[in-house]
Amino acid sequence: IFPGFLTSLVYTKDISDTELLASAGFTIAHEISHGFDYSGAQLDAYGSPSPVFADEDVDKFTDKTSALAAYYSNIELKPGVKVDGQNVVSEANADLAGMQAVLQIAAEDEDFDYNEFFSCVAKEYAQVMTEDDFAYYAADIHPMGNLRTNVNVQMFDTIYDKFDITAGDGL
């Protein structure tokens, strides 16, 4: 994680704990999780090959990431253009791990402001794109900004519980 990440664009002296968790906390947890994904777990601290997963764990991880890739592959970015789930699965997986980590931290605070938190995450990934930008972002290994928010919130019961969302409600 680059030290320059925590510039005034992300961190200010008057930032709330919720905003800090939604921006820097989410990003840091995302990056740390790469050390435990399939690629990261195949290397030691010096970058030398050193697999740490048992074969059965690799199989379970592969099953889960394949399901996530398939989920993303069913998302239409615009009419006739779907996400390449295999292309984004590593970063999408890290997004889920980062979200899970920060939601566990949030759960420790009974007064945590989930509305502020999810609003901050959404602002973090909000994008305005021209048609020329679209091809670049559609091919990026990171899911498009709106998906980094919308897919994540669909995966955690917290969002449903805190906002009283039930089956059939729109996103």
Side-chain angles (χ1 to χ4, degrees):
I1 300 167
F2 297 109
F5 172 72
L6 291 175
T7 65
S8 62
L9 295 174
V10 173
Y11 182 81
T12 61
K13 64 181 178 181
D14 58 340
I15 192 171
S16 72
D17 289 347
T18 303
E19 290 172 304
L20 187 59
L21 192 61
S23 60
F26 178 66
T27 301
I28 291 167
H30 165 109
E31 296 303 339
I32 289 171
S33 79
H34 282 302
F36 301 96
D37 64 18
Y38 184 71
S39 297
Q42 299 302 307
L43 306 172
D44 66 16
Y46 303 100
S48 299
S50 179
V52 296
F53 286 150
D55 289 344
E56 61 270 10
D57 292 331
V58 171
D59 291 343
K60 288 178 187 175
F61 189 83
T62 300
D63 288 346
K64 289 183 180 274
T65 56
S66 293
L68 183 60
Y71 185 87
Y72 266 91
S73 292
N74 284 314
I75 298 171
E76 199 169 52
L77 296 172
K78 66 179 186 177
V81 179
K82 289 192 174 186
V83 174
D84 179 350
Q86 282 302 126
N87 188 48
V88 301
V89 72
S90 180
E91 294 299 326
N93 190 53
D95 283 347
L96 288 172
M99 183 64 71
Q100 183 177 19
V102 295
L103 287 175
Q104 286 177 349
I105 293 168
E108 295 174 10
D109 179 357
E110 63 186 45
D111 296 324
F112 190 79
D113 187 341
Y114 287 91
N115 188 48
E116 179 185 12
F117 173 78
F118 287 115
S119 293
C120 289
V121 170
K123 287 177 190 172
E124 186 84 15
Y125 292 107
Q127 294 173 283
V128 175
M129 289 188 288
T130 66
E131 193 62 36
D132 292 339
D133 296 332
F134 186 82
Y136 170 80
Y137 287 108
D140 191 6
I141 62 168
H142 297 87
M144 283 191 176
N146 63 319
L147 300 179
R148 296 184 82 176
T149 302
N150 295 343
V151 171
N152 273 321
V153 299
Q154 295 174 46
M155 301 294 177
F156 294 96
D157 290 340
T158 304
I159 190 85
Y160 297 95
D161 297 341
K162 298 296 180 183
F163 294 97
D164 197 29
I165 298 170
T166 58
D169 289 347
L171 179 61

